[in-house]
Amino acid sequence: MELRWDPILRQWIIVSGKRGERPLLPEGFCPFCPGSEEMPKTDWTVLSLPNRFPALRPDPPPPEVEYDRLYRCRPSKGACEIIIYTPQHNTTLAEMSVEDIKAVIDLWHQRFEELDGRDYVKYVFIFENKGRIIGVTLDHPHGQLYAFPFIPPLIKTELESSKRYWKRTGNCLFCRVITKEKDDGLRVVCENEGFICFLPFFAHWPYGVHIYPKRHVEAITDLTEDERRMFASILKKVLKKFDNLLDMSFPYMMVLHQRPTDGKAYPYYHFHVEFYPPYREKNKIKYFASVETGAGTVTFDYTPEMKAEELRESPES
Ligand SMILES: [Zn+2]
Ligand SMILES: [Zn+2]
Ligand SMILES: [Zn+2]
């Protein structure tokens, strides 16, 4: 296992030859249910544990492949963790109570804080892949995190744009977007006192909503106890809207975008959550095909205003 540098697109690729050999689990067996090998039987509501087949690890082997100045390589140093949302197998984040969702958020907070303190961790990426269609093989409600030894490219782009805007205007680019979306109102899906959810003017996915704290914070660790509860509450509403929209347990990718953990200051960055749900209508999938994948240009076959309205009207409980 190693990191290989793509000198053309200037990004690291995580290569792990062994991960492809992950064993198939026997039908009906769940490693995340209480009482199985690595899980305590009782006394937990949420849990984080190391991924048994990590792409990044604190003690990686040295790269075995030959490399030089053009074909650069480095060890896969970092961490991969599983975040188990609940001991209950047959539920989803959307079905959990606001208090139980807040327990998940508190664990995200705690993991971010701990990994932020490790010098080799430059970026903590918290996410959830949900649904077979995304490639998830375990139904037990869980998310993951990758602690990267570098700042990933999408975050780099967001940092560059927001830094440039901050230098030019003295304001946060994300705060400006929030105000603009609030004023326009057409793409707002829902909001509460502390958070707002909208499909941005420049949405990439048909139901690709973003959730922002209204207060300018750089990471989940800057939220107060009250704000974490409001975060749980809006998250539940959005997830319920998703499930009610197409009358199914809605698959999605959900990612937390926070400031890097490399010890530098990022006053211009604003914490938020992004969703990338694969459905575009009932029984219709949005593929990121040649134009998206090969040219990096998104095609959006509706308008964000139409899709936001559908979500706004979808029941939130
Ligand atoms: Zn289970
Ligand atoms: Zn801001
Ligand atoms: Zn983002």
Side-chain angles (χ1 to χ4, degrees):
M1 68 195 284
E2 71 258 346
L3 304 180
R4 295 188 187 188
W5 180 249
D6 173 348
I8 298 169
L9 292 180
R10 297 175 48 242
Q11 54 181 254
W12 290 105
I13 311 295
I14 302 177
V15 177
S16 29
K18 286 267 184 301
R19 253 172 72 83
E21 298 165 13
R22 273 173 295 178
L24 279 174
L25 291 164
E27 195 62 39
F29 170 77
C30 175
F32 299 156
C33 269
S36 89
E37 201 181 327
E38 28 176 359
M39 309 300 292
K41 275 199 170 59
T42 48
D43 285 341
W44 60 281
T45 47
V46 288
L47 211 59
S48 71
L49 60 154
N51 192 316
R52 285 183 65 189
F53 302 95
L56 303 163
R57 32 194 270 209
D59 56 342
E64 271 176 36
V65 71
E66 247 178 76
Y67 57 98
D68 53 31
R69 287 190 52 182
L70 180 65
Y71 279 8
R72 286 159 63 196
C73 244
R74 58 190 274 205
S76 299
K77 198 169 171 74
C80 292
E81 296 182 7
I82 306 281
I83 312 253
I84 318 274
Y85 295 165
T86 162
Q88 260 181 289
H89 185 87
N90 287 314
T91 186
T92 60
L93 203 55
E95 298 296 329
M96 286 163 56
S97 70
V98 170
E99 266 319 295
D100 288 348
I101 297 173
K102 184 178 168 289
V104 174
I105 291 170
D106 290 346
L107 182 59
W108 288 343
H109 171 133
Q110 188 243 314
R111 295 314 303 141
F112 185 88
E113 197 163 50
E114 201 268 311
L115 293 160
D116 191 1
R118 298 190 197 171
D119 60 355
Y120 60 87
V121 176
K122 307 300 181 204
Y123 196 85
V124 178
F125 187 67
I126 298 171
F127 64 99
E128 178 185 352
N129 293 329
K130 181 186 169 227
R132 300 271 160 148
I133 199 159
I134 310 281
V136 184
T137 47
L138 289 168
D139 293 328
H140 198 113
H142 71 284
Q144 301 183 54
L145 74 78
Y146 274 29
F148 290 111
F150 54 82
I151 301 173
L154 271 180
I155 304 297
K156 261 195 177 152
T157 304
E158 289 193 357
L159 289 168
E160 279 160 16
S161 314
S162 50
K163 187 177 184 179
R164 199 177 307 159
Y165 190 84
W166 176 272
K167 277 193 167 161
R168 204 176 73 227
T169 67
N171 294 316
C172 164
L173 174 61
F174 304 97
C175 283
R176 271 297 292 140
V177 167
I178 295 168
T179 311
K180 185 99 176 88
E181 291 296 344
K182 256 185 96 83
D183 290 349
D184 288 358
L186 291 166
R187 290 167 301 270
V188 175
V189 171
C190 58
E191 62 181 306
N192 61 26
E193 207 187 316
F195 288 78
I196 184 164
C197 171
F198 54 81
L199 201 62
F201 177 74
F202 44 84
H204 289 205
W205 295 74
Y207 297 110
V209 299
H210 293 190
I211 299 176
Y212 277 84
K214 290 178 180 173
R215 191 165 69 81
H216 180 82
V217 298
E218 297 166 30
I220 199 168
T221 41
D222 302 329
L223 297 175
T224 64
E225 178 91 25
D226 260 4
E227 285 171 327
R228 293 205 297 279
R229 189 164 289 108
M230 290 189 273
F231 183 19
S233 159
I234 198 162
L235 202 50
K236 178 163 174 87
K237 279 182 185 161
V238 172
L239 295 173
K240 277 303 229 182
K241 280 174 174 292
F242 277 161
D243 282 0
N244 289 329
L245 186 73
L246 306 180
D247 197 21
M248 66 186 292
S249 185
F250 200 69
Y252 55 76
M253 295 168 259
M254 171 181 74
V255 309
L256 272 59
H257 278 174
Q258 315 193 64
R259 64 155 168 86
T261 53
D262 59 354
K264 295 188 185 130
Y266 295 94
Y268 44 83
Y269 198 71
H270 194 129
F271 162 59
H272 58 280
V273 182
E274 297 188 11
F275 282 90
Y276 321 120
Y279 277 89
R280 57 186 178 87
E281 278 179 47
K282 186 127 191 138
N283 302 321
K284 287 185 187 164
I285 299 294
K286 164 69 191 176
Y287 292 102
F288 264 44
S290 297
V291 177
E292 284 83 2
T293 307
T297 295
V298 173
T299 60
F300 197 99
D301 300 332
Y302 312 84
T303 67
E305 293 75 24
M306 282 162 64
K307 287 299 187 189
E309 192 181 356
E310 285 179 31
L311 281 170
R312 202 161 46 234
E313 275 163 20
S314 177
E316 63 183 32
S317 58

